[in-house]
Amino acid sequence: MQILIIEDETKIAHILRQGLMEDSYSVDLAKDGEEGWEKVMINSYDLIIMDIMLPKMDGFTLCKKIREKNIHTPILMLTARDAIEDKIEGLDAGADDYVTKPFSFTEISARIRALLRRGNKTEPVILQLADLVLNPATKEVKRNNRNLNLTAREYALLEYFMRNPNTVLSKTRLLEHVWDYQYEGLSNIVETYIKYLRQKLKTDKSSHELIHTVRGLGYILKTKAN
Ligand code: CA
């Protein structure tokens, strides 16, 4: 799941980024409204966090522009003060929720989970494919009732596959949604992590392959090879 943070205050942006990365999200940063707009046009994010007071283009204007483009990505606004007018204006502009600064990371984290759930109403609470079960709330993964011990990145990769089963996912798409922006271009990292994940998914000799290579296109998570 990839999140864009649009915030000109470097310190806040970095604290947020650090916390979100620890929560296994992939994070992209923009330092003003125009840069945020450009990134939203180029990439497909799963959620956007934006400050209201931004250089070049303020959060209200940016939010309206995004909604005018029919982009429905959940938007969480950061308001500098507890001003009710800001909240109303933000929601009118198309934001889904807001958090008042100073905020606790725990609060942001809970709001994000709620927005991601709301953003995809058909999304099941527990993700399952054959004997593979993933619980996004506890980040537990089981295959054939046995717990898999995954690293944060392996988990994020598997979660993305399980949210998009039976779909060919290109290396570029996986890099965008699972890794951070600065890794762009390092497609070897995808191959490496697919290898790790396949090893961990092989809980015993008879367990069949779930992540299949589609030559020249990418990878697909499905139960059968054909
Ligand atoms: Ca600001």
Side-chain angles (χ1 to χ4, degrees):
M1 305 295 270
Q2 194 182 28
I3 297 181
L4 173 66
I5 300 170
I6 312 171
E7 167 65 276
D8 58 312
E9 284 162 77
T10 319
K11 206 173 153 191
I12 293 178
H14 284 110
I15 290 169
L16 268 177
R17 181 197 167 106
Q18 187 61 38
L20 292 173
M21 283 168 69
E22 282 165 16
D23 274 357
S24 302
Y25 295 109
S26 155
V27 181
D28 202 357
L29 289 182
K31 60 189 180 309
D32 61 59
E34 277 178 13
E35 192 189 347
W37 172 245
E38 280 162 19
K39 292 198 170 206
V40 170
M41 287 298 98
I42 298 166
N43 305 301
S44 81
Y45 296 103
D46 301 292
L47 186 130
I48 301 165
I49 299 174
M50 68 167 77
D51 191 25
I52 291 174
M53 304 292 281
L54 288 169
K56 296 186 184 173
M57 192 196 302
D58 68 84
F60 298 133
T61 310
L62 177 56
C63 194
K64 274 185 203 141
K65 277 186 81 162
I66 291 171
R67 294 306 186 225
E68 277 163 15
K69 277 273 173 187
N70 273 322
I71 296 168
H72 302 292
T73 310
I75 295 176
L76 179 64
M77 274 200 169
L78 305 176
T79 69
R81 57 216 132 104
D82 199 8
I84 195 80
E85 306 84 61
D86 275 2
K87 290 171 186 171
I88 293 166
E89 198 176 343
L91 296 173
D92 279 350
D96 297 277
D97 202 357
Y98 52 82
V99 172
T100 308
K101 289 184 193 174
F103 51 78
S104 73
F105 185 75
T106 317
E107 185 187 4
I108 291 260
S109 180
R111 298 289 182 94
I112 289 171
R113 281 198 304 277
L115 283 176
L116 288 174
R117 273 199 301 273
R118 211 195 293 169
N120 188 352
K121 290 192 179 71
T122 56
E123 174 191 305
V125 178
I126 303 280
L127 304 171
Q128 184 160 12
L129 185 95
D131 55 357
L132 182 63
V133 180
L134 182 148
N135 183 340
T138 61
K139 307 217 182 293
E140 275 179 330
V141 182
K142 285 183 180 181
R143 180 148 199 208
N144 199 12
N145 283 322
R146 280 161 66 179
N147 275 312
L148 303 190
N149 189 15
L150 304 183
T151 64
R153 195 61 71 187
E154 290 163 356
Y155 171 84
L157 181 61
L158 184 62
E159 183 182 341
Y160 194 70
F161 267 113
M162 291 198 73
R163 285 182 189 278
N164 300 280
N166 305 305
T167 308
V168 178
L169 302 174
S170 68
K171 283 184 196 170
T172 309
R173 183 161 164 191
L174 291 170
L175 271 171
E176 274 174 13
H177 287 263
V178 180
W179 274 268
D180 296 302
Y181 199 61
Q182 71 262 32
Y183 285 115
E184 202 174 24
L186 302 176
S187 66
N188 280 350
I189 203 165
V190 177
E191 284 168 40
T192 306
Y193 274 83
I194 295 272
K195 202 172 96 186
Y196 294 157
L197 208 46
R198 279 175 170 160
Q199 282 163 0
K200 291 198 179 173
L201 288 174
K202 200 162 176 56
T203 46
D204 58 64
K205 279 185 195 135
S206 61
S207 55
H208 52 268
E209 197 73 78
L210 293 174
I211 300 173
H212 307 272
T213 304
V214 183
R215 199 171 284 272
L217 293 175
Y219 302 94
I220 187 167
L221 179 78
K222 58 177 186 176
T223 47
K224 298 243 162 54
N226 291 305

